[in-house]
Amino acid sequence: VQLQASGGGLVQDGGSLTLSCVASGSTFAINSLGWYRQTPGRQRELVATHTPGSGINYSDSAKGRFRISRDYAKNAVHLQMGSLKPEDTGTYYCHARTYPSEGFSGVEYWGRGTLVTVSS
């Protein structure tokens, strides 16, 4: 599975930005698709994920401001980010996990990060 992310950039405090990620390769094996964020000195953290059957999971900071959507026909996932704050600044990574099997949680894949900078 390969993940190609796009949509990062510079935006002002309170602005909006949409990230997109398109998966290719063995897309039939993908279960969850989502986004993680990493900032200097911190571990990569979940922003939002979409998992069939389990639904959508948002970080507390993303709830109410971000919206994740999945396009199964295009093997894509989008993250609409609104009311952006400087603390949302970071490198955003597209993430995919394959279907789990007995005793195995699935394989994880990561796209190259896309930088989001929110200026105050």
Side-chain angles (χ1 to χ4, degrees):
V1 174
Q2 295 81 43
L3 302 173
Q4 182 66 49
S6 62
L10 175 64
V11 63
Q12 289 188 332
D13 189 356
S16 301
L17 205 60
T18 297
L19 305 181
S20 296
C21 175
V22 178
S24 59
S26 300
T27 57
F28 62 88
I30 295 174
N31 184 22
S32 67
L33 272 176
W35 295 91
Y36 284 69
R37 176 177 66 211
Q38 188 161 24
T39 54
R42 299 187 64 175
Q43 287 188 333
R44 201 170 291 186
E45 59 182 0
L46 179 145
V47 177
T49 59
H50 182 291
T51 306
S54 301
I56 292 173
N57 188 28
Y58 291 104
S59 66
D60 288 342
S61 65
K63 287 177 184 176
R65 299 188 300 126
F66 296 0
R67 178 177 178 272
I68 188 170
S69 60
R70 188 165 175 175
D71 185 337
Y72 286 92
K74 297 181 179 179
N75 296 309
V77 64
H78 308 287
L79 184 68
Q80 295 172 281
M81 303 185 293
S83 301
L84 283 162
K85 308 172 184 179
E87 50 264 43
D88 294 317
T89 294
T91 301
Y92 285 69
Y93 294 88
C94 184
H95 172 266
R97 185 185 290 273
T98 60
Y99 285 95
S101 59
E102 186 174 348
F104 180 59
S105 61
V107 178
E108 290 187 285
Y109 296 90
W110 296 94
R112 289 187 178 182
T114 184
L115 181 62
V116 172
T117 304
V118 184
S119 63
S120 57

